[in-house]
Amino acid sequence: MAAMTTSGVKLHFGPLKKEKPFLTFHGSISEADLAFYDGYDPDFIAKKVVTLSTILNHPAAFAEATKAWAEPLDTTEDTYLGAIAAEIHCAAIHQSEGLLSLLLAAFQPRPHWVYLSSYGNPEMKNAAKLITDGEFGLLTGGEVKTLDEFVRLSVYAGFSPQEEMPDFKSSIDDIGWLVRHVAELYAGAAEYVAYKHGLRVIFGSAVMGVKMKDSEQYMPVISMKQSLTFLQLSEVDSGYTAQRVTKEIRPDYSAGLVGLMAIVLSITRDMRIARIKQSLESVPGLRVDREKLLRMKPAARFSSPY
């Protein structure tokens, strides 16, 4: 859709029409991609998460350090720490979208930066579902059919060692597992839309209790140190309804996931630059401690009518 005109050029926002080509200033799409990847920082979100995690894990020390500033901060308050925990959680969802979109750019006919600047949210949600369902043929227009092939082409740009070693195959498997894990996270992150629109989420500790018969007291059955609460809307024949959903969040899990995704983003950038330049010194890899990550993953949630 068009929104404004500058110097006689009609600006465009949103998905691009497939029948219209992209007229790049660069000599070729490969040169346009190289111009993007030369300046691309795969640690962009990870740097924010490391900073926020440091404050969350050392609130008293950070609060003491701010006393030398013009406006000292009391980062030991529960509301402050809850806000930081929520930011780290949502940063992991943000990073998930960034990773999935960058991988999918390999299967688009336009320069990667153009695709990353024009895809729509429904497109990425659908892509995440196709990944979790294993529908890689539909996802890539038939270019690949399996998760293994998807990782080899999107992350490793089609490169592989002349003699495929067990470590490289393990890296393919671990990255594939991580991509599917990330896709499941992103596809189920209904809270991310609420977060992006500001005042639609509630954060902090949460407890769900049940009231025993013939008693005025509530017995806690679910307790969360950090949580995120949002509305999930639905439609029925007679109108609209909503559920007030509270999900447990664990910043250590989110931070660990962001770190792993940053490594995959770094590998993807380096391999794509190597493909364009036709020069490769080594093939980097990744190992994922799946059991550790799954142990850290939050699972508790509850909801009530709103």
Side-chain angles (χ1 to χ4, degrees):
M1 60 179 176
M4 63 178 70
T5 302
T6 301
S7 302
V9 177
K10 186 169 66 174
L11 299 183
H12 181 89
F13 301 90
L16 306 181
K17 296 178 181 178
K18 292 183 178 180
E19 64 273 13
K20 276 196 171 185
F22 180 78
L23 309 175
T24 177
F25 168 80
H26 297 276
S28 66
I29 290 180
S30 292
E31 290 178 12
D33 287 342
L34 184 60
F36 167 61
Y37 286 113
D38 275 344
Y40 172 70
D41 183 1
D43 293 323
F44 178 67
I45 294 176
K47 289 171 180 174
K48 177 179 78 170
V49 169
V50 168
T51 303
L52 292 175
S53 295
T54 300
I55 299 172
L56 184 66
N57 294 329
H58 307 282
F62 186 79
E64 182 65 26
T66 66
K67 290 181 179 179
W69 304 350
E71 297 182 3
L73 301 171
D74 185 2
T75 53
T76 61
E77 292 183 356
D78 288 343
T79 54
Y80 201 106
L81 298 177
I84 293 176
E87 280 290 343
I88 295 172
H89 171 80
C90 292
I93 305 172
H94 188 184
Q95 181 85 307
S96 300
E97 180 178 335
L99 174 61
L100 296 177
S101 61
L102 192 75
L103 298 185
L104 290 173
F107 304 95
Q108 312 304 319
R110 294 188 172 98
H112 293 181
W113 201 358
V114 173
Y115 172 71
L116 296 172
S117 301
S118 61
Y119 71 82
N121 288 334
E123 178 183 352
M124 202 50 53
K125 284 288 187 180
N126 182 61
K129 188 176 185 306
L130 289 175
I131 290 173
T132 59
D133 291 344
E135 297 287 354
F136 292 97
L138 290 175
L139 178 69
T140 65
E143 289 193 50
V144 301
K145 297 185 185 302
T146 67
L147 179 56
D148 182 282
E149 293 173 347
F150 180 77
V151 172
R152 289 174 185 271
L153 189 56
S154 63
V155 177
Y156 283 101
F159 279 112
S160 63
Q162 291 184 347
E163 293 185 10
E164 188 166 303
M165 304 300 291
D167 286 348
F168 180 71
K169 183 62 170 67
S170 295
S171 181
I172 294 287
D173 291 343
D174 279 348
I175 292 175
W177 181 89
L178 182 66
V179 168
R180 190 186 293 273
H181 184 81
V182 164
E184 291 175 354
L185 169 69
Y186 183 72
E191 69 272 24
Y192 189 51
V193 174
Y195 161 79
K196 288 194 295 184
H197 290 280
L199 302 178
R200 299 186 187 177
V201 295
I202 300 171
F203 55 82
S205 59
V207 176
M208 185 184 79
V210 294
K211 189 176 181 181
M212 305 302 292
K213 186 178 180 180
D214 300 326
S215 173
E216 295 300 320
Q217 294 184 335
Y218 284 85
M219 177 183 297
V221 292
I222 299 178
S223 179
M224 306 175 188
K225 183 178 180 181
Q226 299 290 356
S227 70
L228 204 61
T229 299
F230 58 97
L231 285 185
Q232 197 157 24
L233 304 178
S234 58
E235 183 179 1
V236 295
D237 291 340
S238 56
Y240 298 94
T241 64
Q243 288 285 317
R244 175 185 170 124
V245 181
T246 298
K247 292 178 66 173
E248 180 186 20
I249 59 178
R250 292 186 180 177
D252 53 346
Y253 162 78
S254 298
L257 194 59
V258 167
L260 289 171
M261 286 189 280
I263 295 173
V264 178
L265 289 169
S266 181
I267 294 172
T268 303
R269 177 202 59 188
D270 293 347
M271 297 304 295
R272 290 180 181 179
I273 290 175
R275 168 62 68 189
I276 295 169
K277 294 184 175 180
Q278 289 296 299
S279 176
L280 178 65
E281 294 182 0
S282 62
V283 179
L286 172 69
R287 296 305 304 271
V288 178
D289 189 335
R290 306 180 191 184
E291 291 185 3
K292 179 181 178 181
L293 194 65
L294 291 175
R295 285 197 303 269
M296 296 166 62
K297 183 181 178 182
R301 65 178 288 159
F302 58 82
S303 63
S304 59
Y306 179 73

